[in-house]
Amino acid sequence: MKAVVMAGGEGTRLRPMTANQPKPLLPIINRPIMEHVLRLLKRHGFTETVVTVQFLAALIRNYFGDGDELGMTLHYATEEIPLGTAGSVKNAADKLRDDRFLVISGDALTDIDLTDMLRFHRENRALVTIGLKRVPNPLEFGIIIVDDSGRIQRFLEKPTWGQVFSDTVNTGIYIMEPSVLDEIAPGQSVDWSSDVFPDMLERGCRLFGYVAEGYWEDVGTHESYLKAQADVLEGKVKVDFDAFELAPGVWAAEGASVDPEAVLKGPLYIGDYAKVEAGAELREYTVLGSNAVVKEGAFLHRAVVSDNVYVGPAAHLRGCVIGKNTDVMTGARIEENAVVGDECVIEAEAYVSSGVKIYPFKTIEAGTVVNTSVIWESRGQRSLFGPRGVSGLVNVEITPELCVRLASAYATTLRKGDTVVTSRDASRAARALKRAVISALNSSAINVVDLEAAALPVARFNTSRENVRGGIAVRTTAGDPQSVDIVFMDETGADLSQAAQRKLERVFSRQEYRRAFPGEIAELTFPARAVDTYARELLACIDMSGVKDAEMKVVVDCAGGTSSLVLPSLLGRAGVDVLTVNNRLDDASPTETLAERRRDLQRLAELVASARAAFGVRFDPVGERVSLVDEMGQLISEERALLVVLDLVAAERRGGRVALPVTTTRVAEMVCRFHGVQVDWTATSLDTLTRSARHPDTIFAGDGKGGFIVPEFAPTVDGLAVFLRLLGLVARTRLSLSQIDARIPEAKLLKRTVPTPWAHKGAVMRSVVEAAEGHRLDTTDGVRVVEDDGSWALVLPDPAEAVTHLWAEGHDMDTAQTLLERWARVVEQAAGAR
């Protein structure tokens, strides 16, 4: 039986370590990862192996040769172009036709029992057996669900937290029958997990998952690379390395020279012919490569130092990686998560900050403080984007320098000469940061149309215009005047999709920015009638019939925000009597606290009641979301406001579809069914809701948080548009908002948030799925468990915070409370809270 080792990956996330060598050759305790994999194969009897190579293939062939030194026979299958995980194996099909074979990644460290996995494959008469492992954070892997017998039920590639319903992930280790190769078209880029396996599963093929007990670590990031080194030193993984134990946990290879006056605290490893002088201090999880030299007074802690590295006197290395043939001179300091590439010189007293990446062949001059990466790469983050774009404290987390890098990354995803719309709210911080954004875009050959201070719906509308490829808006974070959000938009004016966000993050993390040549510096223009154009198009799309005849009076609170710039253009043509408050730009207080918001809503309610207005509306400071007050002066909650507007729209249209997030009460479904309207349940992310709103039959969408979409105008959240639509609906229906609210049943919906460590989120969702066995499950976003009587509970991990959200709805509050308590206990126990 043969094995296939996939060794064609570039390892882009590991740059600059992989800038001039393929990922499978990265050393773990001075042996390439792939050598550890080959030794594992040999231990389990796989002596004939096919190696698929593509990126820097010659280096792998030169290092391993024909495999004779390992007591194996190696064949090589070279891809001229990347063929994907399945395409690369198909490329080697002529060597694999005679018997079942094993496929394993050449860049993952593991000691999984391959013999037992083969036994499992034979006993189940499987066509394919996939090695599975339970991991704390499954976001970067393919999740696989199996039944009690191990048969695979479902695949999900690189999910969001809302899609995580297990922590059992695909290790990339497969045992296959040779007939599986017939599933792959030759010469095409095809992946096992996203293309071949789901198609086979749909056709009922015998696909099984083997949940392994051994060690497995996908060495895909600098953090996981350091972790793999530490795990070997701690004995968590069974690998071979040639060394003898000088002291407990202190391993030294042949020819290593360690002065008795050196301070060593294991576990650590000293490579062959390395030299450690007196007075040097090597602490836990340090790895020295072959021929490395550590001079007196140097301090190394959790540092991985490659071959032929010189570490000078009093140098300080902590939690970093140093590439081959690099010199770290006297007194230099290299901090946590920094990576220095091959053949660099870090001169005396230089300081390399945490997270900095220095590409190969660079010199850092003496005394230099390096806070940003040299040429490529910067610090890695769990996620650059949050629920409101890129957010953070002004001049602490969101600085002008960061804005330049973000805008440069965004520009790099576009073509030279494209046009981007920029805008801001009324705040001074947003004004300053937007200027940094504009300069970076122009410097990257991107034309900028700057709306200056503008309501976010106006910015989205202008971004969706012809010949515009995207937009960037800078706004103060709602409820936090110390923070800002940078909102990136696509050509439709909607927030970037998750795929587009990941693309921008990849460019940002590598700092592979495109710059314009001097003659390509782009233009900055200021449109003269952006607000008037928006108002004219909006009024042309919204049915305003009956408004003038109804002689309505409404009260509008602009919250001192940018909606005050648009309302005069709208209200003059709408034919309605309007009392406006806070109708100004407030650059000193661009957002409000929760207490201030409640105070202003109370004032609005009093004004509506005293003025005998039809209703009142309060915009958020950027004009995107609204709060409603009925004619009695009663505030309508966000959840009820969604139902009220939904009822008005559905009653008038009597058909079509509405898009609502899965967290919405099922009373909305009753309202829609009564009026002959269909509900499309969506994930809670705003980009998913806006995608659903683009369907030609969609008549309404809302997120239950004051955000409404008027699809006939634009598939994006727009407070100004829903205000006009509400005027027309109320005028024509001749019913007040309180009357409409009264005819809608009360929802019995409860919510709770449970603290959940990041490392436990996958286990939490697996526990929920296991506890829900026998129930109907909806995995649109998170896991929604539906009881026989229609009551339901939803468990949804938060994508940005270490918490899990729960919703429960029943026919009465007692049922909802019981459901909520039950599933909260499941989450708390799995999260280790109890």
Side-chain angles (χ1 to χ4, degrees), residues 796-818:
L796 179 63
D798 191 285
E801 298 180 21
V803 298
T804 299
H805 302 293
L806 293 90
W807 288 261
E809 184 172 30
H811 301 294
D812 53 56
M813 294 305 288
D814 288 342
T815 303
Q817 186 66 43
T818 301

Side-chain angles (χ1 to χ4, degrees), residues 534-536 538-539 566-575 720 723-724:
Y534 167 83
R536 184 175 64 253
L538 179 56
L539 287 163
V566 189
L567 281 174
S569 299
L570 290 174
L571 298 176
R573 306 171 191 175
L720 297 160
F723 168 58
L724 286 191

Side-chain angles (χ1 to χ4, degrees), residues 90-347:
K90 177 69 173 184
N91 191 47
D94 59 321
K95 302 178 181 68
L96 302 171
R97 289 290 185 188
D98 52 345
D99 196 2
R100 67 171 61 98
F101 56 90
L102 180 140
V103 177
I104 190 168
S105 172
D107 53 22
L109 186 66
T110 183
D111 61 6
I112 285 175
D113 190 340
L114 303 179
T115 302
D116 191 58
M117 183 175 171
L118 180 58
R119 173 201 58 76
F120 178 89
H121 177 85
R122 287 172 172 155
E123 288 180 356
N124 286 284
R125 295 177 293 106
L127 192 59
V128 176
T129 295
I130 300 175
L132 306 178
K133 184 71 181 163
R134 287 176 177 154
V135 299
N137 183 354
L139 288 191
E140 291 300 317
F141 309 101
I143 287 178
I144 295 179
I145 305 296
V146 296
D147 63 16
D148 292 338
S149 68
R151 189 150 185 174
I152 291 174
Q153 303 295 306
R154 185 174 177 187
F155 292 92
L156 184 62
E157 274 297 288
K158 294 191 177 179
T160 64
W161 272 120
Q163 297 169 314
V164 170
F165 33 83
S166 177
D167 59 351
T168 309
V169 303
N170 181 356
T171 64
I173 302 174
Y174 313 123
I175 296 176
M176 302 181 176
E177 299 301 314
S179 60
V180 175
L181 294 170
D182 297 331
E183 304 281 341
I184 310 164
Q188 296 184 13
S189 180
V190 183
D191 284 321
W192 291 118
S193 294
S194 56
D195 301 316
V196 180
F197 292 157
D199 183 60
M200 294 175 68
L201 185 66
E202 192 172 332
R203 291 188 281 110
C205 297
R206 293 183 64 81
L207 272 61
F208 280 78
Y210 171 81
V211 181
E213 295 298 327
Y215 179 93
W216 177 80
E217 179 70 40
D218 175 50
V219 186
T221 65
H222 298 108
E223 292 78 10
S224 61
Y225 179 70
L226 290 171
K227 179 179 182 297
Q229 306 272 5
D231 289 344
V232 173
L233 291 172
E234 285 195 328
K236 292 182 178 179
V237 52
K238 300 171 187 173
V239 299
D240 300 326
F241 59 90
D242 296 326
F244 57 93
E245 206 167 5
L246 283 179
V250 177
W251 298 91
E254 178 186 356
S257 173
V258 181
D259 192 284
E261 298 300 316
V263 178
L264 307 177
K265 184 171 182 180
L268 58 85
Y269 175 87
I270 301 170
D272 52 311
Y273 302 101
K275 182 179 181 181
V276 182
E277 292 190 351
E281 183 174 355
L282 274 59
R283 298 186 66 83
E284 298 90 343
Y285 309 122
T286 291
V287 176
L288 292 187
S290 302
N291 303 305
V293 175
V294 181
K295 302 295 284 184
E296 59 180 345
F299 175 88
L300 289 78
H301 185 203
R302 289 183 292 109
V304 175
V305 175
S306 300
D307 298 346
N308 304 308
V309 168
Y310 172 86
V311 181
H316 189 112
L317 280 61
R318 185 186 295 272
C320 58
V321 178
I322 310 297
K324 297 188 295 288
N325 304 309
T326 287
D327 295 334
V328 181
M329 308 307 285
T330 303
R333 293 179 64 93
I334 304 176
E335 296 291 357
E336 297 275 352
N337 299 317
V339 180
V340 180
D342 296 346
E343 301 191 42
C344 291
V345 177
I346 312 298
E347 294 186 347

Side-chain angles (χ1 to χ4, degrees), residues 738-770:
S738 65
Q739 290 172 320
I740 296 164
D741 190 10
R743 73 184 187 185
I744 301 172
E746 286 291 328
K748 308 298 189 297
L749 180 65
L750 299 174
K751 181 183 177 183
R752 182 179 297 180
T753 297
V754 177
T756 309
W758 285 102
H760 296 175
K761 284 191 175 183
V764 164
M765 300 313 290
R766 172 169 52 84
S767 299
V768 169
V769 172
E770 291 171 353

Side-chain angles (χ1 to χ4, degrees), residues 543-802:
D543 183 2
M544 299 294 291
S545 60
V547 174
K548 290 184 179 180
D549 295 336
E551 297 181 348
M552 285 193 304
K553 179 188 292 184
V554 294
V555 182
V556 176
D557 185 349
C558 298
T562 47
S563 58
S564 62
L565 300 173
V566 189
L567 281 174
S569 299
L570 290 174
L571 298 176
R573 306 171 191 175
V576 64
D577 186 8
V578 180
L579 171 61
T580 58
V581 294
N582 294 319
N583 190 22
R584 70 195 188 287
L585 286 184
D586 189 348
D587 62 353
S589 301
T591 188
E592 69 272 311
T593 64
L594 180 60
E596 290 170 340
R597 181 171 179 271
R598 287 175 174 169
R599 178 201 65 200
D600 286 353
L601 282 171
Q602 182 60 39
R603 289 177 182 171
L604 175 65
E606 293 168 357
L607 282 172
V608 171
S610 62
R612 298 184 179 180
F615 63 89
V617 62
R618 186 176 194 272
F619 297 102
D620 72 357
V622 292
E624 196 167 44
R625 298 176 182 276
V626 296
S627 300
L628 298 180
V629 172
D630 67 20
E631 79 287 357
M632 308 292 290
Q634 296 296 316
L635 175 65
I636 305 175
S637 69
E638 291 177 338
E639 295 83 0
R640 294 299 293 180
L642 175 64
L643 296 175
V644 167
V645 180
L646 171 63
D647 185 59
L648 279 166
V649 174
E652 182 169 274
R653 299 294 287 272
R654 294 286 175 179
R657 309 154 75 105
V658 300
L660 301 172
V662 291
T663 52
T664 308
T665 170
R666 268 37 187 187
V667 171
E669 203 165 40
M670 297 167 55
V671 171
C672 290
R673 192 183 306 120
F674 181 79
H675 296 300
V677 173
Q678 179 182 335
V679 179
D680 291 336
W681 298 108
T682 77
T684 52
S685 64
L686 193 56
D687 71 287
T688 308
L689 192 68
T690 54
R691 265 202 317 275
S692 297
R694 294 189 191 116
H695 192 284
D697 293 336
T698 301
I699 60 171
F700 172 78
D703 64 1
K705 300 174 183 176
F708 298 91
I709 295 174
V710 181
E712 59 262 39
F713 175 62
T716 52
V717 172
D718 190 330
L720 297 160
V722 78
F723 168 58
L724 286 191
R725 192 175 191 188
L726 194 57
L727 282 174
L729 290 168
V730 172
R732 289 188 295 276
T733 194
R734 303 287 182 174
L735 291 174
S736 66
L737 294 189
S738 65
Q739 290 172 320
I740 296 164
D741 190 10
R743 73 184 187 185
I744 301 172
E746 286 291 328
K748 308 298 189 297
L749 180 65
L750 299 174
K751 181 183 177 183
R752 182 179 297 180
T753 297
V754 177
T756 309
W758 285 102
H760 296 175
K761 284 191 175 183
V764 164
M765 300 313 290
R766 172 169 52 84
S767 299
V768 169
V769 172
E770 291 171 353
E773 185 176 359
H775 292 79
R776 182 162 63 88
L777 298 184
D778 173 10
T779 56
T780 302
D781 202 9
V783 175
R784 190 170 73 94
V785 185
V786 184
E787 303 287 339
D788 292 337
D789 63 355
S791 56
W792 57 273
L794 172 66
V795 181
L796 179 63
D798 191 285
E801 298 180 21

